[in-house]
Amino acid sequence: DTGVSQNPRHKITKRGQNVTFRCDPISEHNRLYWYRQTLGQGPEFLTYFQNEAQLEKSRLLSDRFSAERPKGSFSTLEIQRTEQGDSAMYLCASSFSGRGDEKLFFGSGTQLSVL
Amino acid sequence: AQTVTQSQPEMSVQEAETVTLSCTYDTSESDYYLFWYKQPPSRQMILVIRQEAYKQQNATENRFSVNFQKAAKSFSLKISDSQLGDAAMYFCASSSGYALNFGKGTSLLVTP
């Protein structure tokens, strides 16, 4: 068990560019979550996958954001036409099944800075 | 919408002493779970303790325990025998379906 891995750790981009982040969950975990954390705030839920199916999306996930989890393994989060307000840390978490009480394992996040 | 409120932006405790972090929440759900997460400078969120709302008994994990007051919608975290490694941001969270709602966090400083 190597934990949840996120790449890159830091990303600096110019406004208007597209960026993509990757998350590799713990191998046997069937659930994968994306959260966003801005300075001085707690993480905010973005979206959730069970296996390859995206089952829940927050209103925070505008149409510039798209997430995928092909084959129910790793996941990517893409932001198109980045804006300065997208600057935040993007956290990925995974878990195995459960009823909403399962233990989430978080990665160390990708820090995005939009200039 | 569910809200989680942590009214203490920063707390300080001396090594080996006890500190309590406060959290209140608001939910319309009858079945839910409550959590405390720790976020050290490495940024990785680590689960400290969790409480099932239908259980009256307060959860305990070694030096960490909670005081769960369901009627008051209060869920405080007590850290006993504080250690330097406990210094971190602490986030209270409640479950809403498969999402967690987090508070703004409390920064805990531990002094020698």
Side-chain angles (χ1 to χ4, degrees):
Chain A
D1 179 1
T2 57
V4 178
S5 176
Q6 290 189 247
N7 288 290
R9 198 130 154 99
H10 301 273
K11 178 70 177 178
I12 300 174
T13 190
K14 291 183 179 179
R15 189 177 54 184
Q17 297 294 306
N18 299 343
V19 295
T20 299
F21 312 139
R22 178 179 169 124
C23 171
D24 287 272
I26 293 172
S27 57
E28 65 268 23
H29 284 183
N30 60 344
R31 291 185 175 166
L32 188 146
Y33 306 77
W34 284 99
Y35 284 80
R36 181 174 72 183
Q37 185 177 21
T38 53
L39 199 61
Q41 303 292 323
E44 296 171 295
F45 170 76
L46 291 179
T47 189
Y48 146 67
F49 290 84
Q50 177 148 332
N51 300 313
E52 67 276 8
Q54 189 173 17
L55 297 185
E56 200 169 328
K57 289 197 290 188
S58 160
R59 288 175 300 172
L60 293 174
L61 212 67
S62 76
D63 55 9
R64 296 185 298 105
F65 287 69
S66 63
E68 294 181 343
R69 193 183 181 198
K71 302 179 183 177
S73 56
F74 71 92
S75 175
T76 57
L77 178 67
E78 181 184 17
I79 309 175
Q80 295 182 327
R81 305 180 304 281
T82 52
E83 302 172 356
Q84 287 185 325
D86 297 331
S87 295
M89 184 160 68
Y90 291 83
L91 293 167
C92 176
S94 70
S95 69
F96 180 73
S97 194
R99 305 158 293 161
D101 66 332
E102 71 269 29
K103 181 176 180 178
L104 295 188
F105 292 81
F106 281 85
S108 295
T110 293
Q111 183 68 52
L112 173 66
S113 297
V114 182
L115 305 178
Chain B
Q2 292 196 359
T3 57
V4 176
T5 302
Q6 294 180 250
S7 58
Q8 305 154 315
E10 191 173 285
M11 292 285 284
S12 181
V13 63
Q14 213 161 17
E15 206 174 356
E17 297 297 309
T18 295
V19 65
T20 299
L21 308 184
S22 302
C23 173
T24 57
Y25 63 94
D26 188 16
T27 180
S28 57
E29 300 191 18
S30 57
D31 188 16
Y32 56 93
Y33 301 85
L34 298 165
F35 306 83
W36 278 98
Y37 276 87
K38 170 184 178 181
Q39 188 176 40
S42 67
R43 311 186 311 190
Q44 188 171 24
M45 300 282 283
I46 301 164
L47 179 63
V48 174
I49 198 166
R50 69 183 174 195
Q51 174 80 40
E52 296 154 348
Y54 65 87
K55 286 190 175 178
Q56 291 187 333
Q57 186 173 6
N58 289 324
T60 299
E61 289 285 343
N62 301 314
R63 300 182 294 108
F64 299 88
S65 61
V66 298
N67 183 4
F68 174 45
Q69 302 290 327
K70 190 171 184 178
K73 294 184 178 176
S74 169
F75 183 60
S76 60
L77 174 69
K78 184 170 85 171
I79 306 174
S80 304
D81 185 26
S82 297
Q83 301 175 358
L84 293 177
D86 294 334
M89 284 292 292
Y90 286 81
F91 292 94
C92 178
S94 67
S95 63
S96 174
Y98 296 106
L100 293 182
N101 298 296
F102 287 87
K104 291 187 176 183
T106 297
S107 177
L108 179 65
L109 307 175
V110 182
T111 56

